[in-house]
């Protein structure tokens, strides 16, 4: 039976009814393990970024206890250096430890805990939770900023053997920009000033806005197109110009957003993130249009297929991920005015970082 608490911000005409929202939330909860972990789907791996995105969706749906279990899982599995592994294998029955499937340590995966923790606090007002998670957030940020390069960009990762990969990803660094602002918001709330983090966020934002040459060329990917806007580094007229410039390349009317050019493949996650980006720019009508275009990815159980190859008229891959459903719920929550979600993705109550004019 559906409850208003879980669906009040998740009803959107042409996208979700109350019953459909309830089914999608239930689908994510069914993927979550008893220990709080949220793998892509049962039997598949977990990565810290997508785990956090699914937890945020649960908070947007009012499932705060389930979301808190997800963050407690992160706190228990944080490495001594502040990082998490890039991927953890889902546990088979009878196994009580989590083994890394990919022992690399990616910077944007590690940073994203700050976004989730601040979102959970805004959704619940739970200062005890924030106090408990602060050491994990602090250690994560310190790990990430140790990978910042002289130009402001953030190195991609540390390999399993400890080798630093200094190459930077524009999407990853843009996500880290959002995470640093959330971490600074947490620090400000705790009255624990972090001036080094402010300087780092300012330098990173400047690199994203003004120095594309400092990042690997991944412009075939739609994420590199919209993430500088979604991550809050690019706003106003610059954001609008960037989105307009490549709209026709990436948006397939009635089907969604391409993941990568020139592939005839639209994906739910990228589509929902673009909708969030458009909402943050004040373009709710176009955001709604994008969300309505991916209803064909919804399955009968309330979950969403990862993608669709439109030339073959085929779902691919044949998987329904918790993070795809989570991105949909977060986009709907933003359009529905959910306070925590709008604050995190709209920039409310987030510091702007250092004045970019001082970063060469």
């Amino acid at each position: 039976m559906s409850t208003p608490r879980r669906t009040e911000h998740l009803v959107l005409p042409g996208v979700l009814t109350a019953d459909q929202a309830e089914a999608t939330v239930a689908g994510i909860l069914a993927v979550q393990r008893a220990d709080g972990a949220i793998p892509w789907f049962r039997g598949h791996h977990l990565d810290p970024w997508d785990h956090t995105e699914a937890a945020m969706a649960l908070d947007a749906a009012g499932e705060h206890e389930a979301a808190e279990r997800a963050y407690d899982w992160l706190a228990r599995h944080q490495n001594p250096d502040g990082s998490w592994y890039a991927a953890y294998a889902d546990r088979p029955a009878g196994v009580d430890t989590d083994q890394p499937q990919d022992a690399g340590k990616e910077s944007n995966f590690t940073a994203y805990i700050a976004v989730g923790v601040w979102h959970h606090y805004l959704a619940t007002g739970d200062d005890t939770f924030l106090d408990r998670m602060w050491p994990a957030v602090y250690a994560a940020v310190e790990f990430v900023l140790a990978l910042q390069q002289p130009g402001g960009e953030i190195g991609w990762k540390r390999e399993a053997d400890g080798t630093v990969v200094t190459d930077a990803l524009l999407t990853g660094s843009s996500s880290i920009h959002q995470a640093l602002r959330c971490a600074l918001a947490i620090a400000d709330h705790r009255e624990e000033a972090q001036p080094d983090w402010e300087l780092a966020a300012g330098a990173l934002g400047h690199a994203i806005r003004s120095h594309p040459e400092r990042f690997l060329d991944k412009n075939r990917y739609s994420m590199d197109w919209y993430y500088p806007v979604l991550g809050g580094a690019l706003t106003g007229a610059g954001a609008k110009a960037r989105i307009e410039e490549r709209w026709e390349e990436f948006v397939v009317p009635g089907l969604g957003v391409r993941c990568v050019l020139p592939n005839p493949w639209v994906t739910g996650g990228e589509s929902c993130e673009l909708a969030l980006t458009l909402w943050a720019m004040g373009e709710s009508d176009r955001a709604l249009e994008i969300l309505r275009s991916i209803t064909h990815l919804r399955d009968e159980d309330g979950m969403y297929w990862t993608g669709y190859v439109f030339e073959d008229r085929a779902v691919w891959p044949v998987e329904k991920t918790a993070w795809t459903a989570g991105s949909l719920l977060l986009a709907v929550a933003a359009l529905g005015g959910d306070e925590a979600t709008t604050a995190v993705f709209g920039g409310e109550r987030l510091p702007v970082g250092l004045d970019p004019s001082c970063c060469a």
Side-chain angles (χ1 to χ4, degrees):
M1 184 170 69
S2 59
T3 61
R5 178 179 65 86
R6 292 174 61 179
T7 60
E8 58 180 337
H9 299 298
L10 301 178
V11 176
L12 192 60
V15 180
L16 284 181
T17 66
D19 287 343
Q20 288 174 332
E22 180 78 12
T24 301
V25 174
I28 297 175
L29 289 171
V31 173
Q32 186 177 34
R33 299 189 325 219
D35 66 348
I38 310 176
W40 284 24
F41 50 88
R42 292 313 307 268
H44 200 62
H45 77 264
L46 171 156
D47 75 71
W49 199 101
D50 290 309
H51 166 93
T52 299
E53 182 175 47
M56 291 170 66
L58 292 177
D59 265 325
E63 293 288 345
H64 303 310
E65 291 183 6
E68 185 169 347
R69 291 200 308 274
Y71 294 119
D72 286 341
W73 185 94
L74 284 174
R76 291 195 306 271
H77 290 81
Q78 189 171 32
N79 293 316
D81 62 5
S83 70
W84 286 269
Y85 295 122
Y88 296 81
D90 193 16
R91 290 183 191 173
V95 175
D96 61 0
T97 57
D98 288 281
Q99 299 298 324
Q101 185 170 307
D102 179 347
K105 301 170 180 179
E106 299 190 16
S107 53
N108 66 304
F109 281 12
T110 293
Y112 208 58
I113 186 176
V115 182
V117 165
W118 184 235
H119 182 262
H120 182 81
Y121 171 74
L122 293 176
T124 63
D126 187 348
D127 280 296
T128 300
F129 167 82
L130 204 61
D131 290 343
R132 189 170 78 250
M133 295 301 299
W134 170 245
V137 171
Y138 183 90
V141 172
E142 291 293 299
F143 172 85
V144 170
L145 293 186
L147 296 174
Q148 188 164 35
Q149 303 304 302
E153 70 277 18
I154 307 292
W156 178 16
K157 63 178 178 178
R158 282 188 181 273
E159 299 283 14
D161 64 2
T163 301
V164 174
V165 178
T166 58
D167 292 334
L169 301 174
L170 181 58
T171 293
S173 284
S174 297
S175 177
I176 292 169
H177 183 267
Q178 181 190 20
L180 288 176
R181 295 176 70 200
C182 289
L184 283 165
I186 296 170
D188 288 347
H189 180 78
R190 293 175 53 81
E191 299 183 347
E192 296 191 26
Q194 302 293 331
D196 290 346
W197 294 6
E198 293 179 13
L199 290 169
L204 176 58
H206 177 71
I208 292 168
R209 285 184 293 272
S210 304
H211 290 282
E213 76 281 359
R214 294 177 184 172
F215 301 91
L216 293 176
D217 183 0
K218 300 286 185 179
N219 67 8
R220 294 174 55 227
Y221 292 85
S222 60
M223 287 192 296
D224 263 28
W225 166 51
Y226 61 75
Y227 240 99
V229 182
L230 182 59
L234 189 61
T235 59
K240 184 172 178 59
R242 184 179 184 89
I243 295 303
E244 293 301 330
E245 181 181 13
R246 306 194 69 188
W247 181 271
E248 292 187 1
E249 292 181 67
F250 286 114
V251 177
V252 183
L255 291 178
V257 176
R258 292 178 190 255
C259 176
V260 57
L261 298 173
N263 298 3
W265 181 43
V266 294
T267 50
E270 277 78 359
S271 298
C272 294
E273 288 181 340
L274 178 61
L276 267 173
T277 303
L278 292 166
W279 169 83
M281 294 167 57
E283 298 193 20
S284 294
D285 288 345
R286 282 214 289 185
L288 178 58
E289 179 184 348
I290 293 294
L291 293 179
R292 285 175 171 168
S293 75
I294 61 167
T295 56
H296 66 100
L297 294 177
R298 184 179 177 87
D299 197 23
E300 293 179 355
D301 62 359
M303 298 296 278
Y304 289 77
W305 300 106
T306 296
Y308 178 76
V309 181
F310 50 86
E311 284 189 356
D312 297 338
R313 298 183 180 181
V315 165
W316 186 84
V318 184
E319 62 182 31
K320 293 173 284 189
T321 49
W323 51 265
T324 299
S327 67
L328 184 282
L329 292 178
L330 287 171
V332 171
L335 283 165
D338 176 61
E339 183 177 354
T341 305
T342 59
V344 166
F345 289 102
E348 302 167 27
R349 301 177 66 179
L350 292 182
V352 296
L354 185 67
D355 183 344
S357 66
C358 67
C359 303

